[in-house]
Amino acid sequence: MHQDAVYLRVGVEPCHQRFDLLLANILTGVVLRLLPELDRILAPAGRFICSGINSANRGQVLASLEANGLAAGIVSEREGWVAIAGGRRVCSCSA
C-alpha cells in the first residue's frame, strides 16, 4: 500500500532515503555543496527546487547541475535572486 508522507530534514546528518521532491531555500554555496548528493537521495523520477541563489551565481549553479547529471526545467529570476526547478537529465541516447 502506498502512503503519502512529508519529511522535513534540517541539518546535514546522513540521509539513507530517496525522495520524490527535494526543496532547498538556501544560499548558493550550500546549494553547490548539496548538488553532488542529489543522485543518492533523489528518486529516479524525482524533482528538485532550489532557491536562495544570487543572480550573479546563476551560471555556476546551472553548470554544476549539468555536471551532476541534473537538468533545470524552470529557471526563475526576480529582484536579484534565482530559483531553479528540475530533475535528472534524461538521456536521449539510442541503444
Side-chain angles (χ1 to χ4, degrees), residues 30-92:
V30 180
V31 169
L32 291 171
R33 284 194 305 272
L34 292 175
L35 289 179
E37 296 296 317
L38 289 190
D39 184 55
R40 188 174 54 76
I41 61 175
L42 189 63
R47 308 294 288 167
F48 67 85
I49 301 171
C50 55
S51 59
I53 301 163
N54 186 290
S55 294
N57 300 64
R58 174 184 177 151
Q60 182 182 14
V61 173
L62 291 172
S64 184
L65 285 170
E66 179 76 17
N68 285 287
L70 303 165
I74 299 171
V75 180
S76 177
E77 187 170 343
R78 187 172 72 182
E79 298 178 9
W81 296 99
V82 175
I84 301 171
R88 293 181 187 279
R89 190 173 51 235
V90 177
C91 179
S92 58

